[in-house]
PDB file of all heavy atoms in Angstrom:
ATOM      1  N   SER E 100      80.715 188.268  32.726  1.00  0.00           N
ATOM      2  CA  SER E 100      80.835 188.568  31.293  1.00  0.00           C
ATOM      3  C   SER E 100      80.613 190.047  31.011  1.00  0.00           C
ATOM      4  O   SER E 100      80.933 190.531  29.912  1.00  0.00           O
ATOM      5  CB  SER E 100      79.824 187.745  30.497  1.00  0.00           C
ATOM      6  OG  SER E 100      80.069 186.358  30.660  1.00  0.00           O
ATOM      7  N   LEU E 101      80.066 190.793  31.971  1.00  0.00           N
ATOM      8  CA  LEU E 101      79.903 192.229  31.801  1.00  0.00           C
ATOM      9  C   LEU E 101      81.238 192.957  31.809  1.00  0.00           C
ATOM     10  O   LEU E 101      81.351 194.057  31.237  1.00  0.00           O
ATOM     11  CB  LEU E 101      78.995 192.790  32.907  1.00  0.00           C
ATOM     12  CG  LEU E 101      77.565 192.240  32.959  1.00  0.00           C
ATOM     13  CD1 LEU E 101      76.829 192.791  34.171  1.00  0.00           C
ATOM     14  CD2 LEU E 101      76.814 192.578  31.679  1.00  0.00           C
ATOM     15  N   TRP E 102      82.229 192.385  32.482  1.00  0.00           N
ATOM     16  CA  TRP E 102      83.533 193.052  32.602  1.00  0.00           C
ATOM     17  C   TRP E 102      84.677 192.248  31.987  1.00  0.00           C
ATOM     18  O   TRP E 102      85.736 192.787  31.740  1.00  0.00           O
ATOM     19  CB  TRP E 102      83.858 193.276  34.083  1.00  0.00           C
ATOM     20  CG  TRP E 102      82.830 194.106  34.780  1.00  0.00           C
ATOM     21  CD1 TRP E 102      82.642 195.446  34.676  1.00  0.00           C
ATOM     22  CD2 TRP E 102      81.851 193.622  35.696  1.00  0.00           C
ATOM     23  NE1 TRP E 102      81.621 195.861  35.458  1.00  0.00           N
ATOM     24  CE2 TRP E 102      81.090 194.750  36.135  1.00  0.00           C
ATOM     25  CE3 TRP E 102      81.498 192.378  36.212  1.00  0.00           C
ATOM     26  CZ2 TRP E 102      80.044 194.669  37.024  1.00  0.00           C
ATOM     27  CZ3 TRP E 102      80.461 192.302  37.093  1.00  0.00           C
ATOM     28  CH2 TRP E 102      79.734 193.417  37.501  1.00  0.00           C
ATOM     29  N   VAL E 103      84.493 190.933  31.811  1.00  0.00           N
ATOM     30  CA  VAL E 103      85.553 190.059  31.322  1.00  0.00           C
ATOM     31  C   VAL E 103      85.095 189.456  29.997  1.00  0.00           C
ATOM     32  O   VAL E 103      83.893 189.219  29.776  1.00  0.00           O
ATOM     33  CB  VAL E 103      85.881 188.953  32.343  1.00  0.00           C
ATOM     34  CG1 VAL E 103      87.050 188.095  31.864  1.00  0.00           C
ATOM     35  CG2 VAL E 103      86.213 189.570  33.693  1.00  0.00           C
ATOM     36  N   SER E 104      86.058 189.138  29.151  1.00  0.00           N
ATOM     37  CA  SER E 104      85.759 188.546  27.849  1.00  0.00           C
ATOM     38  C   SER E 104      85.042 187.216  28.033  1.00  0.00           C
ATOM     39  O   SER E 104      85.439 186.389  28.858  1.00  0.00           O
ATOM     40  CB  SER E 104      87.047 188.345  27.048  1.00  0.00           C
ATOM     41  OG  SER E 104      86.773 187.614  25.875  1.00  0.00           O
ATOM     42  N   PRO E 105      83.954 186.968  27.290  1.00  0.00           N
ATOM     43  CA  PRO E 105      83.223 185.703  27.413  1.00  0.00           C
ATOM     44  C   PRO E 105      84.089 184.486  27.126  1.00  0.00           C
ATOM     45  O   PRO E 105      83.851 183.418  27.700  1.00  0.00           O
ATOM     46  CB  PRO E 105      82.098 185.843  26.381  1.00  0.00           C
ATOM     47  CG  PRO E 105      81.903 187.315  26.228  1.00  0.00           C
ATOM     48  CD  PRO E 105      83.279 187.913  26.373  1.00  0.00           C
ATOM     49  N   GLN E 106      85.105 184.597  26.233  1.00  0.00           N
ATOM     50  CA  GLN E 106      85.976 183.446  25.958  1.00  0.00           C
ATOM     51  C   GLN E 106      86.755 183.054  27.206  1.00  0.00           C
ATOM     52  O   GLN E 106      86.884 181.869  27.536  1.00  0.00           O
ATOM     53  CB  GLN E 106      86.935 183.779  24.807  1.00  0.00           C
ATOM     54  CG  GLN E 106      86.275 183.905  23.449  1.00  0.00           C
ATOM     55  CD  GLN E 106      85.656 185.274  23.238  1.00  0.00           C
ATOM     56  OE1 GLN E 106      85.799 186.167  24.097  1.00  0.00           O
ATOM     57  NE2 GLN E 106      84.939 185.444  22.127  1.00  0.00           N
ATOM     58  N   PHE E 107      87.291 184.078  27.901  1.00  0.00           N
ATOM     59  CA  PHE E 107      88.017 183.782  29.134  1.00  0.00           C
ATOM     60  C   PHE E 107      87.089 183.170  30.195  1.00  0.00           C
ATOM     61  O   PHE E 107      87.453 182.217  30.875  1.00  0.00           O
ATOM     62  CB  PHE E 107      88.673 185.058  29.673  1.00  0.00           C
ATOM     63  CG  PHE E 107      89.873 185.482  28.907  1.00  0.00           C
ATOM     64  CD1 PHE E 107      89.837 186.615  28.104  1.00  0.00           C
ATOM     65  CD2 PHE E 107      91.047 184.752  28.950  1.00  0.00           C
ATOM     66  CE1 PHE E 107      90.948 187.014  27.388  1.00  0.00           C
ATOM     67  CE2 PHE E 107      92.169 185.151  28.244  1.00  0.00           C
ATOM     68  CZ  PHE E 107      92.115 186.288  27.456  1.00  0.00           C
ATOM     69  N   MET E 108      85.897 183.707  30.311  1.00  0.00           N
ATOM     70  CA  MET E 108      84.970 183.184  31.324  1.00  0.00           C
ATOM     71  C   MET E 108      84.496 181.767  30.981  1.00  0.00           C
ATOM     72  O   MET E 108      84.299 180.931  31.862  1.00  0.00           O
ATOM     73  CB  MET E 108      83.745 184.110  31.457  1.00  0.00           C
ATOM     74  CG  MET E 108      84.077 185.483  32.024  1.00  0.00           C
ATOM     75  SD  MET E 108      85.050 185.410  33.546  1.00  0.00           S
ATOM     76  CE  MET E 108      84.031 184.387  34.571  1.00  0.00           C
ATOM     77  N   GLY E 109      84.343 181.495  29.674  1.00  0.00           N
ATOM     78  CA  GLY E 109      83.962 180.142  29.284  1.00  0.00           C
ATOM     79  C   GLY E 109      85.047 179.134  29.615  1.00  0.00           C
ATOM     80  O   GLY E 109      84.768 178.028  30.105  1.00  0.00           O
ATOM     81  N   ALA E 110      86.315 179.540  29.332  1.00  0.00           N
ATOM     82  CA  ALA E 110      87.428 178.639  29.654  1.00  0.00           C
ATOM     83  C   ALA E 110      87.532 178.419  31.163  1.00  0.00           C
ATOM     84  O   ALA E 110      87.746 177.286  31.643  1.00  0.00           O
ATOM     85  CB  ALA E 110      88.734 179.222  29.086  1.00  0.00           C
ATOM     86  N   TRP E 111      87.364 179.531  31.920  1.00  0.00           N
ATOM     87  CA  TRP E 111      87.421 179.384  33.392  1.00  0.00           C
ATOM     88  C   TRP E 111      86.293 178.496  33.898  1.00  0.00           C
ATOM     89  O   TRP E 111      86.506 177.669  34.801  1.00  0.00           O
ATOM     90  CB  TRP E 111      87.322 180.763  34.046  1.00  0.00           C
ATOM     91  CG  TRP E 111      87.140 180.666  35.527  1.00  0.00           C
ATOM     92  CD1 TRP E 111      88.099 180.473  36.465  1.00  0.00           C
ATOM     93  CD2 TRP E 111      85.893 180.707  36.230  1.00  0.00           C
ATOM     94  NE1 TRP E 111      87.541 180.398  37.708  1.00  0.00           N
ATOM     95  CE2 TRP E 111      86.176 180.540  37.602  1.00  0.00           C
ATOM     96  CE3 TRP E 111      84.561 180.873  35.832  1.00  0.00           C
ATOM     97  CZ2 TRP E 111      85.187 180.538  38.574  1.00  0.00           C
ATOM     98  CZ3 TRP E 111      83.579 180.874  36.790  1.00  0.00           C
ATOM     99  CH2 TRP E 111      83.894 180.703  38.152  1.00  0.00           C
ATOM    100  N   PHE E 112      85.096 178.665  33.332  1.00  0.00           N
ATOM    101  CA  PHE E 112      83.955 177.860  33.778  1.00  0.00           C
ATOM    102  C   PHE E 112      84.211 176.369  33.530  1.00  0.00           C
ATOM    103  O   PHE E 112      83.923 175.531  34.398  1.00  0.00           O
ATOM    104  CB  PHE E 112      82.697 178.323  33.045  1.00  0.00           C
ATOM    105  CG  PHE E 112      81.473 177.523  33.401  1.00  0.00           C
ATOM    106  CD1 PHE E 112      80.850 177.661  34.633  1.00  0.00           C
ATOM    107  CD2 PHE E 112      80.953 176.600  32.491  1.00  0.00           C
ATOM    108  CE1 PHE E 112      79.726 176.923  34.953  1.00  0.00           C
ATOM    109  CE2 PHE E 112      79.833 175.850  32.812  1.00  0.00           C
ATOM    110  CZ  PHE E 112      79.209 176.010  34.047  1.00  0.00           C
ATOM    111  N   LEU E 113      84.786 176.024  32.383  1.00  0.00           N
ATOM    112  CA  LEU E 113      85.075 174.618  32.091  1.00  0.00           C
ATOM    113  C   LEU E 113      86.119 174.062  33.062  1.00  0.00           C
ATOM    114  O   LEU E 113      86.010 172.925  33.522  1.00  0.00           O
ATOM    115  CB  LEU E 113      85.556 174.481  30.644  1.00  0.00           C
ATOM    116  CG  LEU E 113      84.498 174.722  29.556  1.00  0.00           C
ATOM    117  CD1 LEU E 113      85.123 174.621  28.170  1.00  0.00           C
ATOM    118  CD2 LEU E 113      83.358 173.721  29.697  1.00  0.00           C
ATOM    119  N   ILE E 114      87.166 174.861  33.342  1.00  0.00           N
ATOM    120  CA  ILE E 114      88.200 174.401  34.275  1.00  0.00           C
ATOM    121  C   ILE E 114      87.600 174.162  35.664  1.00  0.00           C
ATOM    122  O   ILE E 114      87.860 173.142  36.323  1.00  0.00           O
ATOM    123  CB  ILE E 114      89.344 175.432  34.349  1.00  0.00           C
ATOM    124  CG1 ILE E 114      90.085 175.492  33.008  1.00  0.00           C
ATOM    125  CG2 ILE E 114      90.317 175.076  35.468  1.00  0.00           C
ATOM    126  CD1 ILE E 114      91.122 176.596  32.945  1.00  0.00           C
ATOM    127  N   THR E 115      86.743 175.084  36.133  1.00  0.00           N
ATOM    128  CA  THR E 115      86.144 174.956  37.467  1.00  0.00           C
ATOM    129  C   THR E 115      85.216 173.748  37.530  1.00  0.00           C
ATOM    130  O   THR E 115      85.213 172.994  38.525  1.00  0.00           O
ATOM    131  CB  THR E 115      85.370 176.242  37.812  1.00  0.00           C
ATOM    132  OG1 THR E 115      86.241 177.365  37.705  1.00  0.00           O
ATOM    133  CG2 THR E 115      84.811 176.170  39.222  1.00  0.00           C
ATOM    134  N   ILE E 116      84.423 173.554  36.467  1.00  0.00           N
ATOM    135  CA  ILE E 116      83.515 172.409  36.450  1.00  0.00           C
ATOM    136  C   ILE E 116      84.303 171.106  36.463  1.00  0.00           C
ATOM    137  O   ILE E 116      83.940 170.141  37.177  1.00  0.00           O
ATOM    138  CB  ILE E 116      82.594 172.486  35.215  1.00  0.00           C
ATOM    139  CG1 ILE E 116      81.640 173.668  35.350  1.00  0.00           C
ATOM    140  CG2 ILE E 116      81.791 171.189  35.071  1.00  0.00           C
ATOM    141  CD1 ILE E 116      80.737 173.617  36.549  1.00  0.00           C
ATOM    142  N   CYS E 117      85.395 171.047  35.717  1.00  0.00           N
ATOM    143  CA  CYS E 117      86.200 169.820  35.670  1.00  0.00           C
ATOM    144  C   CYS E 117      86.821 169.522  37.032  1.00  0.00           C
ATOM    145  O   CYS E 117      86.805 168.370  37.496  1.00  0.00           O
ATOM    146  CB  CYS E 117      87.292 169.954  34.611  1.00  0.00           C
ATOM    147  SG  CYS E 117      86.664 169.966  32.916  1.00  0.00           S
TER     148      CYS E 117
END
Side-chain angles (χ1 to χ4, degrees):
S100 299
L101 299 175
W102 301 285
V103 184
S104 172
Q106 290 82 5
F107 285 109
M108 293 310 305
W111 170 82
F112 178 73
L113 290 177
I114 293 173
T115 304
I116 292 300
C117 291

